[in-house]
Amino acid sequence: MKYGFTTGSCAAAGAKAAAFMLLSGLEKSSIKILTPKGIEFNAEIVDICRTENAVSCAVIKDGGDDPDVTTGAHIVSKVSIESEKNENEKTVIKIQGGPGVGTVTKPGLDQKVGEAAINTVPRNMIKKEVLEVCSLMDFNGTLLVEISVPEGIELAEKTFNPRLGIKGGISILGTSGIVEPMSSQAILDTIKVELNQHKAFGKKIAAVTPGNYGQDFMLKTYDYDLDKSVKCSNFIGNVIDIAIELGFEKLLLTGHIGKLIKVSGGIMNTHSKEGDCRMELMSASAIRCGCSLDGAKNILECVTTEDAVSILIKENILKEVMKDVLDRIMFFLNKRAGDKIEIGCMIYSNQFGLLAKTENAEDLIRQCKVM
């Protein structure tokens, strides 16, 4: 599969090209940079615009085979001269965000509140590439680099930025400089950023959920909005690791039976490609709790866990099975945590509501609501 290049790589390549054109007077249609991953990026330069003291150009983002919403966006780098020569003869590179690049409005992110959402690695990449040009051209003044994205405001609505408190556009991101196809790391990085932001707000409980299934139930029953929880997607094991790493004291996992039943079998990544034994696990718990042979067979034939729950109700063993399932889920959650964090769990169904909860779950919800 084809890898792509991050918005940070695009910004750095564009800034290098713009600086070269500004200081040399020549034109560049392509330019090479070396990404932190050690892979060379030969970027095509488009939309060149010159004025007396500035040059702007763009690199079109290519995410490769990764389903990246920013693919096709124009990452525009404008380089202008603030001063021709500094007194200490030390070159200074200033970086700021322009239209379509978000501004940080909440703490806990890579950049401080009020700063443009251009992360540390892209900033370092931009400085490195522009300083290389300055050295080549024997320039030791001050250059201002402005990164903008014409499509940024619209694209930001399709990202996590509004949720993270980054307003007015997308972020300029990337730690390796490349985008690996179907990268799980990008999702994990986002989860960690959001958890870290919650920590910065003083929250001691990491409230996580795989998604928004059961949102109406949680709001109606517990007056708790699942949007206040960090969405961990399928990465339940990883999110426990991250919560411990960030120093959370407690973790509350709330989720639909269709996701959490997998954890009862020790599956810590609940994506179907990692394993889908929902009905086998439900049937096994049902048999342990006295389910009839026909009932167990019928569970195995179910398409959804909601259907399987209906059979448990008919067998009059729902409460016993859900306790068995929860006990096994907690065994594997606590095994992953290694007693480094207190964990609570709540399992529900869209159709049947609450199925099981740990003794501490409701107390953790109350604490989450007041924090």
Side-chain angles (χ1 to χ4, degrees), residues 217 256 304 306-307 309-310 313 348-355:
F217 161 74
H256 187 271
T304 70
E306 298 275 352
D307 291 338
V309 170
S310 297
I313 292 172
Y348 46 73
S349 151
N350 290 338
Q351 185 176 351
F352 303 104
L354 181 68
L355 299 177

Side-chain angles (χ1 to χ4, degrees), residues 3 8 15 39 60 72 80 99 105 108 113 117 121 141 147 181 184 193 204 221 232 266 280 288 336 344 346 351 364:
Y3 58 77
I39 295 173
I60 299 176
S80 55
T105 66
V113 171
V121 172
I147 308 299
S184 296
V193 165
K204 297 180 180 180
T221 308
C232 66
E280 288 82 358
R288 281 192 294 270
R336 182 67 175 245
M346 185 172 287
Q351 185 176 351
L364 291 177

Side-chain angles (χ1 to χ4, degrees), residues 50 70 118 129 176 222 234 309 316 338:
R50 295 174 176 272
T70 60
I118 305 173
E129 299 301 338
S176 66
Y222 294 102
N234 298 297
V309 170
N316 199 30

